[in-house]
Amino acid sequence: MTLRVTVPDEGWLDRLADLGDSVNLVVWDFSTPQPEGRIDLAVRPYTPTTDGLDRLDPSGLEVLQLQTLGFDGVPDVLPAGITVCNAVGVHEGSTAELAVALLLASQREIDAFARERGEWNRRFTASLLDRRIMLLGYGGIGTEVEKRLEGFDADLVRVAGHRREDERGVVHGNDELTELLPTVDAVVVAVPLSDATVGLIDDDFLAALPDGAIVVNVSRGKVADTDAVVRQGGRIRYATDVTDPEPLPSDHPLWSVPGVLISPHVGGMSSAMQPRIDAVVRRQITNLLEGRGPDSVVISA
């Protein structure tokens, strides 16, 4: 059995060359029409957009492998009949790493110190030690954030869709947010984008937090009401890797709000990504060659 697999660029040909004759590798970056003939697995370029997905031909494409963890918008444009898999295990660690970096940089005012070139302004700053930090969205990214914060002597408050208990204790439900938000110093938001989470970080959410609290958003830009963040600026700090709109226009008021720290949606863009996505694609190829279904299916054919 030989699989026909498309990859986004020639670099993949070298990295997957050892697969031998069992795999026919074809370069296709989705900027041109879908190659003719059957494609068993197509690896999409690393992009957060859905451009071109509406033109895919399900009669010639079996499985679409995304390089992103999120797949919002894909079901709205993808023709029926194509199985879609997301990149579970690729970005969670790096995104959690950035979440902690944003939290630390904001707490210790690293961004402010960096702008004070030529000045020696010593001052006390906030820390993570002895702080109460909410992990809002206790899934793949949230659990990785927890691992990285465990050495900071912080009190972690875990929140997911529904209340439950595990070996670590209580995981609170979203219906407890009103009571929990006034008790925390920081919130790390890593919820998936859905109808229930669009605009979750709104005026009421931010007003419930104590003065000086920080919200770190590594989920999706639309999870936050940007206008609400601007209105609350100065009282509530906000460190985010995602924005709405995105990219954020250079003249957008969010850039100049006090206490706001922005990175340009680079949570998964680290040196860890390529070897991890390579491993995912190798595993998918092995699954298909051995007659099993692909892993991490988010849309079934």
Side-chain angles (χ1 to χ4, degrees):
M1 178 182 181
T2 300
L3 291 183
R4 190 167 185 236
V5 177
T6 70
V7 291
D9 58 66
E10 292 187 356
W12 286 82
L13 301 181
D14 294 333
R15 295 195 302 275
L16 301 180
D18 62 301
L19 293 174
D21 296 336
S22 60
V23 180
N24 176 20
L25 296 172
V26 178
V27 174
W28 177 40
D29 66 2
F30 283 64
S31 67
T32 58
Q34 181 175 319
E36 294 183 0
R38 176 183 173 82
I39 299 172
D40 297 287
L41 176 68
V43 181
R44 181 161 168 77
Y46 182 55
T47 173
T49 74
T50 59
D51 295 349
L53 293 184
D54 58 330
R55 299 191 298 271
L56 296 182
D57 178 9
S59 68
L61 176 56
E62 187 73 19
V63 179
L64 175 65
Q65 175 65 57
L66 305 178
Q67 294 192 57
T68 56
L69 188 60
F71 56 97
D72 36 289
V74 175
D76 300 328
V77 301
L78 190 77
I82 300 172
T83 296
V84 180
C85 306
N86 66 342
V88 172
V90 175
H91 302 292
E92 294 92 332
S94 290
T95 301
E97 184 178 79
L98 182 64
V100 174
L102 288 170
L103 180 58
L104 269 174
S106 185
Q107 287 289 87
R108 300 307 303 264
E109 300 182 23
I110 301 301
D111 57 325
F113 286 133
R115 289 191 296 268
E116 295 171 359
R117 294 186 178 277
E119 301 179 18
W120 192 258
N121 294 325
R122 298 178 70 235
R123 57 183 178 273
F124 282 93
T125 63
S127 71
L128 298 187
L129 293 170
D130 305 326
R131 298 291 174 171
R132 186 168 163 87
I133 302 171
M134 176 185 291
L135 305 178
L136 179 53
Y138 191 64
I141 295 173
T143 54
E144 291 296 321
V145 173
E146 180 183 38
K147 292 177 186 177
R148 287 154 179 79
L149 287 178
E150 285 179 337
F152 283 95
D153 292 336
D155 179 18
L156 302 182
V157 180
R158 304 175 299 163
V159 180
H162 303 283
R163 185 184 177 94
R164 65 178 190 269
E165 291 195 18
D166 61 18
E167 66 280 0
R168 292 175 175 267
V170 174
V171 178
H172 298 274
N174 286 337
D175 57 353
E176 301 176 69
L177 278 177
T178 301
E179 293 77 29
L180 291 171
L181 286 172
T183 73
V184 301
D185 302 293
V187 183
V188 178
V189 184
V191 297
L193 183 66
S194 68
D195 291 342
T197 61
V198 169
L200 174 66
I201 306 170
D202 59 8
D203 281 301
D204 291 341
F205 183 105
L206 296 170
L209 290 165
D211 291 351
I214 177 172
V215 176
V216 177
N217 186 6
V218 290
S219 52
R220 284 292 186 268
K222 290 183 181 296
V223 168
D225 178 341
T226 307
D227 292 338
V229 175
V230 171
R231 284 191 291 270
Q232 295 278 353
R235 190 186 77 83
I236 298 297
R237 293 170 296 145
Y238 187 63
T240 186
D241 186 47
V242 289
T243 60
D244 179 31
E246 191 173 302
L248 193 66
S250 59
D251 60 349
H252 195 283
L254 188 64
W255 287 111
S256 56
V257 174
V260 169
L261 179 60
I262 302 170
S263 58
H265 203 156
V266 293
M269 296 178 69
S270 77
S271 57
M273 178 186 164
Q274 193 64 64
R276 289 181 177 229
I277 190 62
D278 286 355
V280 166
V281 172
R282 284 176 175 274
R283 186 167 63 249
Q284 300 290 42
I285 289 172
T286 299
N287 286 339
L288 296 176
L289 284 173
E290 295 181 356
R292 297 190 299 270
D295 295 333
S296 306
V297 173
V298 291
I299 301 174
S300 299

